Amino acid sequence: MKIVVDMPEWIEQEMSRRPSVYPELADRIKLVVEFSRLNVVHDTGGPFGAGVFELETGKLVSIAVNRVVPCSVSCAHAEFGALALAQQKLGTFDLGGAGLPAHQLVVNWRPCTMCYGSVIWSGVRSLALAGSGKAVEEITGFDEGPIADDWIEELNRRGIEVHDNQDREAALEVFRLFRDSGKLVYNARLG
Amino acid sequence: MKIVVDMPEWIEQEMSRRPSVYPELADRIKLVVEFSRLNVVHDTGGPFGAGVFELETGKLVSIAVNRVVPCSVSCAHAEFGALALAQQKLGTFDLGGAGLPAHQLVVNWRPCTMCYGSVIWSGVRSLALAGSGKAVEEITGFDEGPIADDWIEELNRRGIEVHDNQDREAALEVFRLFRDSGKLVYNARLG
């Protein structure tokens, strides 16, 4: 008995012609937003991308996209993919463990209720987002679930810094592309 | 690039000599609490077990235990395992989708922040728990994360019924066994 969540083949092809290190946060954001867009273009999942980077150097550890529908796993959000790929690559459940450099999770939008919790358990020290708020729900119809208003403060209290609104307009453009493509919104019981 | 989360081999052995249908909720609870205990005894993960059942018939669809440390995935809580195994078995991300019977998630304790969200996205119509509250944190040292006080009402609003405190003492006994065994508490950055 095992669960397998795979990433689409185009990710490796895309990464083979891109840098493996992203010193600037703006370039990390650009990468995950571009992967959220490519996931719509390739029809390989929802409009979400996430990456785990070494916080200081910007070395890319893992990159992932939403795989809920193709993999039949409602938990296979981009954040889950990026965190689990990074953890299995490094051989630890704790990206903040002893002997490891600090890690940053970069996402094209604020994590949903579930992924908010997964960020806390992952051991990352930093969370960077292209944007946050209701716009994703208004444009796409996705449900993000109940999130407490103090989500940034709660993450800060737990030693996780938050960089929000790093490129809101670029993220929204992908959500509009997804909406206009008429693809499946995969809320449980289809909303 | 793929993520693999496997279940320990003893699960199939245990299930080969157990019923495949559990008409009574009490027996579903007993099964997941027993699997949480066996996961400690076999040293194959944290003290948590979860199963997905057909709500009306009690047919077992999937059963899972916590696999965070053995699989190096901080998201590999028992709920994640049971939900993803059931979804991949049925070939759908939505356990409440058209043409399917209603499904129930049964867990030995209230889901953490992350799994609370994953219950919402899974499509289950019912959540049954041996127990809930701070006792797990007080006994074991595990962190459950920030959970809103209205978690039952929120699930109800989303069409998910909740049966809490079905066998609190049995669940607590397993947490005490875990504590006394001196095994790893795997909060991110080890608390």
Side-chain angles (χ1 to χ4, degrees):
Chain A
M1 289 195 300
K2 65 182 176 183
I3 299 141
V4 179
V5 175
D6 64 351
M7 291 296 138
E9 286 182 12
W10 60 260
I11 288 192
E12 285 192 53
Q13 291 159 15
E14 286 289 334
M15 286 315 303
S16 69
R17 57 186 185 75
R18 288 169 191 271
S20 56
V21 182
Y22 298 78
E24 300 299 325
L25 177 53
D27 293 324
R28 302 177 200 176
I29 293 281
K30 200 170 171 181
L31 182 71
V32 301
V33 172
E34 173 62 2
F35 272 50
S36 75
R37 191 187 71 81
L38 288 170
N39 208 31
V40 177
V41 170
H42 289 287
D43 200 13
T44 43
F48 301 99
V52 170
F53 298 82
E54 287 186 8
L55 179 60
E56 297 306 327
T57 66
K59 183 182 166 191
L60 181 69
V61 181
S62 66
I63 188 150
V65 291
N66 177 289
R67 295 290 283 162
V68 168
V69 178
C71 292
S72 296
V73 171
S74 58
C75 181
H77 290 196
E79 297 92 325
F80 162 77
L83 293 170
L85 283 172
Q87 290 169 339
Q88 291 201 328
K89 185 175 181 176
L90 299 175
T92 175
F93 63 93
D94 182 3
L95 296 173
L100 291 179
H103 288 99
Q104 178 178 59
L105 178 68
V106 183
V107 198
N108 68 315
W109 204 253
R110 182 182 72 174
C112 76
T113 301
M114 173 183 73
C115 294
Y116 169 62
S118 77
V119 168
I120 295 175
W121 305 148
S122 70
V124 297
R125 307 289 181 126
S126 178
L127 174 67
L129 310 171
S132 68
K134 287 283 175 194
V136 63
E137 298 180 303
E138 290 159 5
I139 295 173
T140 65
F142 281 111
D143 182 355
E144 296 294 295
I147 308 240
D149 290 338
D150 69 341
W151 63 280
I152 291 181
E153 292 76 9
E154 178 71 30
L155 292 174
N156 290 166
R157 274 193 294 272
R158 290 167 175 272
I160 302 168
E161 59 171 31
V162 178
H163 304 272
D164 193 9
N165 290 318
Q166 297 297 301
D167 195 350
R168 193 174 174 83
E169 190 44 43
L172 293 179
E173 203 173 303
V174 175
F175 296 147
R176 288 184 205 109
L177 172 71
F178 180 83
R179 176 195 62 196
D180 296 342
S181 72
K183 291 191 189 352
L184 183 66
V185 172
Y186 46 79
N187 291 331
R189 302 193 299 284
L190 307 180
Chain B
M1 288 195 300
K2 65 182 176 183
I3 298 141
V4 178
V5 175
D6 65 351
M7 290 298 137
E9 285 182 14
W10 60 259
I11 287 192
E12 285 192 53
Q13 291 160 15
E14 286 289 334
M15 285 315 303
S16 69
R17 57 186 186 75
R18 288 171 190 271
S20 56
V21 183
Y22 298 78
E24 301 299 325
L25 177 53
D27 293 324
R28 303 176 201 176
I29 292 282
K30 202 170 170 182
L31 183 71
V32 302
V33 172
E34 174 62 2
F35 272 50
S36 75
R37 191 186 72 80
L38 287 170
N39 208 31
V40 177
V41 169
H42 288 287
D43 200 14
T44 43
F48 301 99
V52 171
F53 298 82
E54 287 186 7
L55 179 60
E56 297 305 328
T57 66
K59 183 183 166 192
L60 181 69
V61 181
S62 65
I63 188 150
V65 291
N66 177 289
R67 296 289 284 163
V68 168
V69 178
C71 292
S72 296
V73 171
S74 57
C75 181
H77 289 197
E79 297 93 326
F80 162 76
L83 293 170
L85 283 172
Q87 291 169 337
Q88 292 201 326
K89 185 176 181 175
L90 299 176
T92 176
F93 62 91
D94 181 3
L95 295 173
L100 292 178
H103 287 99
Q104 178 177 60
L105 178 68
V106 183
V107 198
N108 69 315
W109 205 253
R110 182 182 72 174
C112 75
T113 301
M114 172 181 73
C115 294
Y116 169 62
S118 76
V119 168
I120 296 175
W121 305 148
S122 70
V124 297
R125 307 287 181 125
S126 177
L127 174 66
L129 310 170
S132 68
K134 287 284 176 196
V136 62
E137 298 180 303
E138 289 160 6
I139 295 172
T140 65
F142 280 112
D143 183 354
E144 296 294 295
I147 308 242
D149 289 337
D150 69 342
W151 62 280
I152 292 182
E153 292 76 9
E154 178 71 29
L155 292 175
N156 290 166
R157 274 193 293 273
R158 289 166 174 273
I160 302 168
E161 59 172 29
V162 177
H163 303 272
D164 193 10
N165 290 316
Q166 297 297 302
D167 195 350
R168 194 177 172 81
E169 190 44 44
L172 294 178
E173 202 171 304
V174 175
F175 295 148
R176 290 186 204 108
L177 172 71
F178 180 83
R179 175 194 63 198
D180 296 342
S181 72
K183 292 191 188 349
L184 183 66
V185 172
Y186 45 79
N187 291 330
R189 301 192 299 284
L190 308 180

